[in-house]
């Protein structure tokens, strides 16, 4: 067998012995899923130890809020360039660089010597994490057959929910057993190990993979050579004149507003508004994220199945309608009900419906422009990051000024309804680029 690092373009594959039950793309996709899990453990563990850190360093809530903003400033800064670089030079290497970068700054977090230094560390952590989603979308665009894009992006995006679910118990246990530093060291080291393995088992072009079989290549119908995949020209003059690009970019704001609302404020909502104890939040607070994990994976399977019966555009829109409308309905019911357990059920269903959309949004850039999917997803994600900056701050303002969580949830429901309406007129899965 010829190594993909040998410089020889020819790939020699033995015959029957290479007919493995485990396909090469399954391994590549699983590692992309793991990178997303790591991204969310590294960005969310600081919220678990927030009180401990504030007490140790004498910070107030406003200072701690600046750390969240610093992360998103770094995140928004590199979103589009990361996608462009992944499309132009290869998503595999840039994903590895991003994971190493954010892992290093995760490890450095406990070593910060001042508030200014940890502010810079969180900023650089955001820069590293900005690479994750655009780069993995670029890789998926090359590795997934047309009618399985949804299921793979569903798996990849569900890493967000798993990351949130496992961070709290792991971080809490490590903090209790050792100190608050421990989870930063653990998650950072795991990221570096991931990057080393990733570079060895992934290639940008499936034809270059040492374990790919002719049968699997035929399934993907990928006729591009490694050289062709490196010569991607990003049509910047055309990108921002395309309705499909504006559609996913604008509507992703409405999607991510509610995601970051829940991600930032859900534990506080259950404790302050619904009277749950910390223990109850620890037990039941994982249910919404479990629902999102299941929904993200089922949404991909549903969309791929629909694509065999309906147009690709309809197969993406239908789950998006379900997602936005379900999010809005259950969010409003959660705000209205006086019963805390009913509120838990409604909010769980709302977050579950919200999860459906992530699969669709991160599949659409591949549909619209397979060769420029990383760039397109970077543009889209920039809008979502703006929502990530606005949602937590606006939520806090509304709670303090209006004195009720109902207005917060009703606003989120209204934004979800707007997203559903805009989906009808601005979402299309037609390949209009490349």
């Amino acid at each position: 067998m010829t190594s993909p690092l040998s410089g020889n373009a020819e790939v020699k594959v033995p015959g029957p012995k290479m007919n493995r039950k485990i396909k090469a793309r399954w391994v590549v996709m699983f590692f992309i899923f793991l990178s997303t899990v790591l991204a969310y453990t590294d960005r969310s563990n600081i919220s678990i130890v927030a009180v401990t850190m504030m007490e140790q360093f004498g910070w107030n809530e406003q200072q701690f809020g600046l750390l969240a903003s610093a992360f998103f400033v770094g995140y928004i800064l590199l979103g589009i360039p990361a996608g462009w670089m992944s499309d132009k030079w290869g998503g595999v290497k840039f994903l590895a660089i991003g994971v190493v970068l954010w892992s290093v700054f995760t490890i450095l977090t406990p070593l910060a010597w001042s508030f200014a230094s940890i502010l810079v560390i969180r900023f650089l952590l955001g820069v590293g994490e900005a690479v994750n989603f655009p780069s993995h979308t670029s890789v998926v665009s090359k590795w997934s057959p047309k009618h399985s894009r949804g299921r793979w992006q569903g798996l990849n995006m569900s890493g967000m929910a798993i990351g949130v679910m496992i961070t709290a118990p792991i971080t809490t246990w490590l903090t209790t057993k050792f100190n608050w530093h421990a989870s930063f060291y653990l998650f950072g080291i795991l990221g570096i190990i991931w990057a080393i393995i990733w570079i060895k088992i992934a290639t940008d072009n499936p034809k270059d993979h040492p374990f790919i079989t002719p049968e699997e290549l035929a399934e993907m119908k990928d006729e591009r050579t490694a050289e062709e995949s490196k010569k991607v020209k990003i049509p910047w003059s055309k990108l921002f004149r395309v309705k499909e690009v504006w559609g996913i970019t604008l509507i992703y704001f409405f999607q991510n507003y509610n995601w970051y609302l829940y991600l930032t404020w859900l534990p506080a909502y259950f404790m302050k508004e619904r009277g749950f104890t910390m223990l109850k939040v620890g037990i039941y607070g994982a249910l919404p994220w479990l629902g999102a994990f299941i929904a993200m994976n089922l949404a991909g399977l549903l969309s791929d199945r629909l694509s065999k019966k309906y147009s690709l555009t309809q197969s993406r829109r239908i789950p998006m309608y379900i997602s936005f409308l379900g999010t809005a309905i259950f969010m409003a019911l959660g705000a209205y009900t006086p019963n805390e357990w009913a509120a838990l059920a409604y909010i769980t269903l709302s977050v579950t419906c919200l999860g459906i959309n992530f699969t669709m949004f991160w599949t659409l850039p591949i549909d619209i422009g397979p060769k420029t999917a990383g760039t397109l997803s970077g543009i889209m994600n920039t809008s979502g990051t703006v929502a990530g900056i606005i949602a937590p701050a606006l939520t806090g303002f509304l709670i303090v000024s209006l004195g009720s969580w109902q207005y917060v949830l009703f606003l989120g429901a209204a934004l979800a309804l707007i997203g559903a309406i805009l989906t009808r007129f601005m979402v299309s899965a037609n390949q209009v680029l490349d």
Side-chain angles (χ1 to χ4, degrees), residues 334-413:
Y336 183 76
T337 182
N339 184 275
E340 67 272 21
W341 296 107
L344 173 65
Y346 288 138
I347 295 301
T348 296
L349 290 170
S350 178
V351 177
T352 299
C353 290
L354 191 64
I356 295 171
N357 256 349
F358 281 108
T359 303
M360 299 303 101
F361 274 108
W362 287 90
T363 305
L364 281 165
I366 304 175
D367 297 329
I368 295 168
K371 292 183 183 178
T372 54
T375 304
L376 292 175
S377 62
I379 294 170
M380 179 187 74
N381 201 33
T382 299
S383 169
T385 304
V386 172
I389 296 171
I390 294 173
L394 181 56
T395 298
F397 171 78
L398 291 175
I399 293 169
V400 172
S401 60
L402 301 178
S404 172
W405 280 85
Q406 283 192 328
Y407 299 104
V408 170
L409 296 177
F410 283 140
L411 173 60

Side-chain angles (χ1 to χ4, degrees), residues 196-397:
I196 294 170
I197 299 173
W198 170 251
I199 285 294
K200 293 182 178 296
I201 60 95
T203 60
D204 283 298
N205 195 302
K207 291 181 179 180
D208 296 333
H209 199 280
F211 302 129
I212 199 78
T213 64
E215 292 79 12
E216 188 174 1
L217 281 174
E219 288 176 9
M220 290 187 279
K221 297 178 182 178
D222 190 343
E223 298 177 355
R224 292 168 293 176
T225 64
E227 286 301 312
E228 288 173 335
S229 68
K230 293 178 182 177
K231 295 179 180 179
V232 175
K233 292 184 179 179
I234 309 301
W236 292 104
S237 61
K238 186 179 180 182
L239 278 180
F240 294 102
R241 298 201 306 268
V242 176
K243 180 193 73 172
E244 286 80 0
V245 175
W246 282 104
I248 59 174
T249 301
L250 174 62
I251 302 171
Y252 196 54
F253 175 91
F254 297 100
Q255 166 70 12
N256 255 24
Y257 181 93
N258 284 329
W259 177 254
Y260 283 114
L261 162 62
Y262 282 134
L263 196 64
T264 308
W265 287 101
L266 202 53
Y269 167 76
F270 284 133
M271 293 175 67
K272 292 181 176 294
E273 183 72 2
R274 295 299 179 178
F276 279 44
T277 63
M278 178 73 75
L279 179 61
K280 283 185 178 180
V281 170
I283 296 172
Y284 301 109
L287 291 177
W289 309 112
L290 176 60
F293 168 76
I294 295 170
M296 289 175 187
N297 285 285
L298 290 181
L301 294 172
L302 171 64
S303 182
D304 288 342
R305 185 176 292 273
L306 289 172
S307 70
K308 297 176 182 179
K309 185 176 181 181
Y310 302 100
S311 69
L312 200 58
T313 293
Q314 286 301 105
S315 73
R316 305 304 186 218
R317 280 183 185 172
I318 291 171
M320 290 179 74
Y321 292 144
I322 296 171
S323 177
F324 274 128
L325 293 175
T327 298
I329 292 169
F330 291 119
M331 209 170 192
L333 289 172
Y336 183 76
T337 182
N339 184 275
E340 67 272 21
W341 296 107
L344 173 65
Y346 288 138
I347 295 301
T348 296
L349 290 170
S350 178
V351 177
T352 299
C353 290
L354 191 64
I356 295 171
N357 256 349
F358 281 108
T359 303
M360 299 303 101
F361 274 108
W362 287 90
T363 305
L364 281 165
I366 304 175
D367 297 329
I368 295 168
K371 292 183 183 178
T372 54
T375 304
L376 292 175
S377 62
I379 294 170
M380 179 187 74
N381 201 33
T382 299
S383 169
T385 304
V386 172
I389 296 171
I390 294 173
L394 181 56
T395 298
F397 171 78

Side-chain angles (χ1 to χ4, degrees), residues 78-123:
L78 200 64
I80 296 175
W84 173 75
M85 289 185 290
S86 297
D87 287 332
K88 190 172 180 63
W89 290 302
V92 168
K93 66 179 72 172
F94 278 99
L95 183 54
I97 291 170
V99 175
V100 169
L101 182 64
W102 89 57
S103 297
V104 167
F105 287 106
T106 298
I107 294 171
L108 290 177
T109 300
L111 304 179
W113 59 93
S114 65
F115 182 75
S117 65
I118 198 170
L119 208 61
V120 172
I121 288 171
R122 291 300 291 182
F123 167 81

Side-chain angles (χ1 to χ4, degrees), residues 22-83:
I22 298 178
K23 296 179 180 180
R25 69 175 178 271
W26 296 356
V27 178
V28 171
M29 299 300 180
F30 178 68
F31 268 79
I32 290 176
F33 162 79
L34 288 180
S35 78
T36 302
V37 173
L38 288 170
Y40 264 72
T41 59
D42 289 356
R43 78 167 62 178
S44 62
N45 68 331
I46 196 170
S47 65
I48 309 300
V49 297
V51 175
T52 303
M53 292 180 69
M54 285 190 288
E55 290 176 353
Q56 178 176 331
F57 297 111
W59 299 337
N60 58 30
E61 286 79 5
Q62 184 177 5
Q63 285 176 299
F64 201 83
L66 285 174
L67 295 181
S69 297
F71 173 89
F72 283 113
V73 170
Y75 197 79
I76 201 170
L77 185 67
L78 200 64
I80 296 175

